[in-house]
Amino acid sequence: MSHRKFERPRHGSLGFLPRKRARRIRGRIRSFPKDDPSQPPHLTAFMAYKAGMTHVVRDLDKPGSKMHKKEVVQAVSVLDAPPMVVVGLVGLIKTVRGYRPLNCIFAQHLPQQFKRAQYKHWARARKKAFCHYAKKFTDPKAMRWYNRDISEIKKHCAFIRVIAVSQVDRCRIGQKKGHVMEIQINGGTISDKVDFAIKLFEQQIPVDAVFKESEMIDTIGVTRGHGFEGVVHRWGVTRLPRKTHKGLRKVACIGAWHPARVGFQVARAGQHGFHHRTEINKKIFKIGRAEKVDKANARCPTDLTDKTITPMGGFVRYGKVKNDFLLLKGTVAGPNKRVLTLRKSLRPQTTRESVEKIELKFIDTSTKYGHGRFQTSEEKNTFMGPRKKSVKAVKAAATA
């Protein structure tokens, strides 16, 4: 029997197998939070788009720690969260093989972002999706079938989910086709949930209607892709000695003679990144209003500068954040412009960190293209004084 002289843990986790490319770019919710009928009906998920990162300053509220009541600097992710539009609902019933949809009803007027999602090539399509469905609302006979479907959902279904679409065209990331997802409604009876969902038809749902500040949530998304990678980068195995024959960024032995096959636990080269991942317990530091509503949405009680969340020069490879936004503690999966699914926490939050109330003192808005020195353009102009370009602009305005 073989043995080793010293213990060594394996390289890489087997809990994420298979390490393959995600099938869809939108994060899929496999489990929704447990339903509590004693609460009023509410939505449990939302979609947002990663804009970039910055840092904030706040006082840490952690009794017993040496940093209690002291200033800390923490990294935050900025998520652009335009309102979502509810376009329909689906009722699920219990079967011996799990849950299956019983009925699905849609609103009369559907946004173009949702219709675009029904076609692969919108420019070449006839654009007739749901045109016959919309005629039901003007036909009394068809409306009887519509109301019958609603009554069947109320009578037989165990879960109610709304069908919502994101308004991705508001983010200006080069996409017009909206991302569509099902969002489960928790709280109240089945009849209350259906009535709640129908009232949301064709309505815009802001992010602060789903989440609150200082809440712990889960993020679901697809990580940044790195293509086909070798075992050293993909699994973190040790490089072989310098004089190794035929390369050294390899696994020295991929298995014994028998069994005459390579085990699944042996590190091999392959796809690295673009994996579907779920991160739990991400703290919401701030929920900000859109730029049109609040011209100083990055102002804090101790930093009274009128500035927006967009840094000078815009976020790298993203641009301006003009919609409602979220500040999440730490990092999130994927590159900028990646869609992220946000879900209410599956587990009851009782830790001291999860119930801590966040009060920000400062949000950094200096440029992210280098070592930022100024928070706003006005601050830069005041410090630098008149410059060649500004003097030319003044002269041109005077002569005009």
Side-chain angles (χ1 to χ4, degrees):
M1 180 178 179
S2 64
H3 64 278
R4 65 183 312 126
K5 204 168 186 179
F6 302 104
E7 183 183 1
R8 182 189 64 82
R10 65 162 288 112
H11 288 281
S13 173
L14 297 179
F16 297 101
L17 293 180
R19 297 194 181 213
K20 62 180 183 180
R21 288 174 55 87
R23 285 186 299 168
R24 60 179 67 83
I25 202 165
R26 177 184 62 82
R28 175 179 167 227
I29 298 180
R30 293 189 173 96
S31 298
F32 282 95
K34 190 175 181 181
D35 192 8
D36 184 5
S38 63
Q39 295 182 356
H42 59 276
L43 300 177
T44 55
F46 203 80
M47 271 193 291
Y49 297 85
K50 182 176 178 179
M53 293 191 70
T54 185
H55 67 266
V56 299
V57 177
R58 70 183 184 94
D59 285 334
L60 191 66
D61 184 16
K62 194 173 183 181
S65 171
K66 290 182 179 180
M67 293 299 295
H68 181 54
K69 298 297 182 184
K70 293 184 179 180
E71 287 188 351
V72 292
V73 180
Q74 291 180 319
V76 293
S77 296
V78 183
L79 304 184
D80 198 352
M84 298 186 69
V85 180
V86 175
V87 297
L89 73 87
V90 58
L92 303 169
I93 60 173
K94 290 182 179 179
T95 68
V96 293
R97 295 183 180 86
Y99 300 106
R100 74 166 183 85
L102 176 68
N103 274 329
C104 184
I105 61 175
F106 289 93
Q108 181 179 5
H109 305 289
L110 300 176
Q112 196 181 63
Q113 300 97 329
F114 178 71
K115 291 182 179 179
R116 281 177 178 271
Q118 313 306 315
Y119 297 98
K120 189 170 184 180
H121 299 287
W122 174 256
R124 285 187 252 161
R126 296 177 62 193
K127 305 177 180 61
K128 294 289 185 180
F130 290 93
C131 65
H132 295 295
Y133 193 90
K135 294 178 182 178
K136 285 185 178 181
F137 294 87
T138 58
D139 184 3
K141 186 176 180 181
M143 280 303 294
R144 286 204 302 268
W145 290 94
Y146 188 83
N147 295 325
R148 191 202 67 173
D149 290 345
I150 295 176
S151 61
E152 282 186 355
I153 290 175
K154 289 183 178 181
K155 183 177 180 181
H156 300 292
C157 290
F159 294 101
I160 306 298
R161 296 177 183 174
V162 297
I163 302 171
V165 61
S166 66
Q167 301 187 82
V168 66
D169 53 332
R170 289 195 179 188
C171 294
R172 310 293 293 175
I173 61 174
Q175 182 174 335
K176 298 178 183 178
K177 182 186 295 187
H179 294 97
V180 184
M181 70 176 296
E182 291 182 2
I183 304 175
Q184 185 163 302
I185 299 176
N186 282 357
T189 63
I190 296 298
S191 181
D192 295 338
K193 293 174 183 176
V194 174
D195 295 337
F196 175 77
I198 292 176
K199 286 181 181 178
L200 294 179
F201 276 11
E202 303 176 21
Q203 301 296 318
Q204 296 193 8
I205 312 299
V207 66
D208 57 2
V210 182
F211 303 116
K212 304 299 178 187
E213 287 188 2
S214 304
E215 186 180 353
M216 301 288 272
I217 64 173
D218 303 336
T219 63
I220 307 169
V222 177
T223 62
R224 186 190 300 265
H226 297 278
F228 194 97
E229 286 285 359
V231 289
V232 173
H233 187 71
R234 192 184 188 212
W235 291 94
V237 301
T238 307
R239 292 189 307 160
L240 298 178
R242 182 186 63 83
K243 298 180 70 174
T244 306
H245 185 51
K246 291 187 177 179
L248 51 83
R249 297 177 65 89
K250 298 171 178 288
V251 175
C253 177
I254 61 173
W257 192 319
H258 290 290
R261 54 191 171 273
V262 180
F264 73 93
Q265 66 272 25
V266 178
R268 306 290 276 165
Q271 174 66 31
H272 180 57
F274 206 79
H275 305 312
H276 186 275
R277 294 290 180 262
T278 301
E279 287 186 89
I280 65 173
N281 298 342
K282 311 291 283 189
K283 187 88 167 177
I284 297 179
F285 275 13
K286 181 180 176 66
I287 299 179
R289 302 297 294 164
E291 192 179 81
K292 287 184 179 180
V293 180
D294 187 2
K295 294 288 186 182
N297 54 23
R299 184 169 55 188
C300 298
T302 56
D303 178 25
L304 301 180
T305 308
D306 288 342
K307 57 183 182 179
T308 61
I309 191 63
T310 305
M312 293 182 63
F315 283 103
V316 182
R317 295 183 296 277
Y318 188 87
K320 290 185 177 181
V321 175
K322 297 183 178 180
N323 308 293
D324 297 347
F325 66 90
L326 292 168
L327 293 185
L328 289 188
K329 180 183 177 182
T331 61
V332 293
N336 294 356
K337 302 183 183 180
R338 179 65 48 87
V339 60
L340 290 166
T341 303
L342 312 177
R343 178 189 63 189
K344 283 186 173 290
S345 180
L346 287 184
R347 303 176 181 177
Q349 299 296 330
T350 57
T351 62
R352 186 167 56 186
E353 184 181 0
S354 63
V355 298
E356 179 186 0
K357 297 297 180 183
I358 304 297
E359 294 182 6
L360 301 181
K361 299 178 71 175
F362 171 77
I363 301 174
D364 180 63
T365 57
S366 61
T367 178
K368 306 304 174 189
Y369 284 90
H371 297 286
R373 185 177 179 184
F374 306 104
Q375 295 295 314
T376 61
S377 299
E378 292 77 14
E379 180 185 343
K380 181 178 180 180
N381 294 334
T382 304
F383 181 85
M384 302 290 288
R387 284 163 289 166
K388 186 176 180 181
K389 189 178 290 186
S390 61
V391 171
K392 276 187 177 181
V394 172
K395 286 182 179 179
T399 57

